[in-house]
Amino acid sequence: KIKKIFEGLDIPAHISKNKFISPNSIFVLEHKLAQIIEIQNYAEVPKLNPKPILNIKSLIAENELWEQGLNGFAFSPNFKNDKYIFVSYVNKKNQIILSRFQYDNKIKEASLSSEVKLLSVDRIATSEDKYEHNCGTISFNPKDKYLYFCLGDTRAPESSQDINVLNGKILRINPFVEDTLEKNYITVKENPFIQLKGKPEILFAGFRNPWKFSFDSETGDIYIPDVGSEYIEELNVVKY
């Protein structure tokens, strides 16, 4: 049975829970408004908290291109201690950004000043670039606790097969350890393209726009959709 619990949201693109902020709330990403909002008491008498826990509207491009905005978020699996919120968005330079912000219990939000950028990925320009295929889903595998992050081919299909660029890939990194090369993460040594001299962050390649991939919470298996064009859609299942 499907039950409506709330309405009036602006392009709600992801829902998550966080018992350390509130066990009775759900947190919703509003894509074009570039914010994460809280719906309190969602199971009984839902009420919108007028104060978002994060708003990054000032960081994103202001236009009508619907794939640009705040594209994904995930709470840290260590949130009780580190208070990290990981987000992906398209900035004013049309770069795809992976960042973390830190939630502040005192003010009940994550401030813009807490941002730490992990990745900044340029689009691969094409003659008919519509600033699409950004992807941006972020998720932590329940088995290995690493951060998984998708990038679409940014309308450059050849990029998905090029292991020297991050576009058209699913990445796997450890964002809780800083690299000695001034990166705010380390790569996972088991990632397969390291031995082939490809980008060390790449776990899977060959995608058009694998938006909204997700994990089986018990097995760690990954379910990867790939958004097609006019005729074909894919769903790939990778056993952990």
Side-chain angles (χ1 to χ4, degrees):
K1 183 179 179 180
I2 298 175
K3 178 183 177 181
K4 180 173 71 175
I5 65 168
F6 209 81
E7 60 185 355
L9 302 178
D10 186 83
I11 313 183
H14 187 66
I15 299 174
S16 188
K17 297 184 72 176
N18 187 317
K19 65 181 181 181
F20 299 109
I21 298 178
S22 171
N24 300 313
S25 295
I26 55 174
F27 299 89
V28 182
L29 181 155
E30 289 190 301
H31 169 61
K32 291 300 288 184
L33 294 181
Q35 62 183 7
I36 302 170
I37 61 171
E38 178 184 8
I39 299 176
Q40 301 168 328
N41 200 28
Y42 73 95
E44 297 180 11
V45 184
K47 177 184 177 182
L48 176 66
N49 182 347
K51 183 178 183 179
I53 66 166
L54 177 65
N55 184 301
I56 62 166
K57 183 71 171 177
S58 62
L59 303 181
I60 68 170
E62 295 184 11
N63 56 50
E64 299 302 318
L65 301 173
W66 76 276
E67 288 195 29
Q68 291 183 291
L70 176 58
N71 290 338
F73 85 94
F75 294 113
S76 166
N78 309 313
F79 188 88
K80 180 180 179 180
N81 298 315
D82 62 30
K83 304 295 188 292
Y84 289 160
I85 305 173
F86 294 87
V87 307
S88 68
Y89 62 94
V90 180
N91 69 8
K92 295 179 183 296
K93 297 179 181 179
N94 290 314
Q95 297 169 313
I96 300 168
I97 305 297
L98 174 65
S99 283
R100 76 166 190 253
F101 293 81
Q102 191 166 38
Y103 182 81
D104 188 329
N105 281 324
K106 293 181 179 179
I107 61 175
K108 304 299 183 183
E109 67 177 336
S111 65
L112 289 179
S113 62
S114 70
E115 182 179 22
V116 174
K117 290 183 180 179
L118 304 181
L119 281 170
S120 176
V121 181
D122 292 323
R123 299 184 64 82
I124 297 176
T126 64
S127 59
E128 298 180 356
D129 194 352
K130 299 178 181 179
Y131 302 109
E132 296 174 337
H133 301 183
N134 302 310
C135 205
T137 301
I138 305 168
S139 191
F140 285 91
N141 190 310
K143 289 294 186 180
D144 60 29
K145 308 300 183 184
Y146 292 132
L147 185 152
Y148 290 59
F149 174 56
C150 71
L151 287 155
D153 65 11
T154 59
R155 281 283 183 178
E158 68 281 358
S159 69
S160 67
Q161 300 294 337
D162 185 348
I163 63 173
N164 293 303
V165 299
L166 297 179
N167 311 60
K169 313 297 192 302
I170 290 180
L171 315 181
R172 180 173 63 172
I173 63 172
N174 181 344
F176 303 112
V177 180
E178 294 187 3
D179 192 288
T180 56
L181 299 176
E182 298 183 352
K183 292 181 179 179
N184 293 310
Y185 64 90
I186 60 171
T187 54
V188 179
K189 63 180 181 180
E190 292 84 6
N191 284 356
F193 295 97
I194 294 175
Q195 295 182 4
L196 298 176
K197 308 300 182 184
K199 289 286 188 180
E201 295 89 351
I202 299 173
L203 178 62
F204 303 126
F207 296 106
R208 186 172 186 264
N209 198 28
W211 192 57
K212 301 303 289 183
F213 70 86
S214 63
F215 293 103
D216 184 303
S217 60
E218 294 184 359
T219 65
D221 294 347
I222 181 170
Y223 292 78
I224 309 171
D226 202 2
V227 178
S229 186
E230 287 81 6
Y231 304 109
I232 299 175
E233 304 280 338
E234 282 186 14
L235 177 61
N236 305 277
V237 182
V238 183
K239 298 293 185 180
Y240 183 76

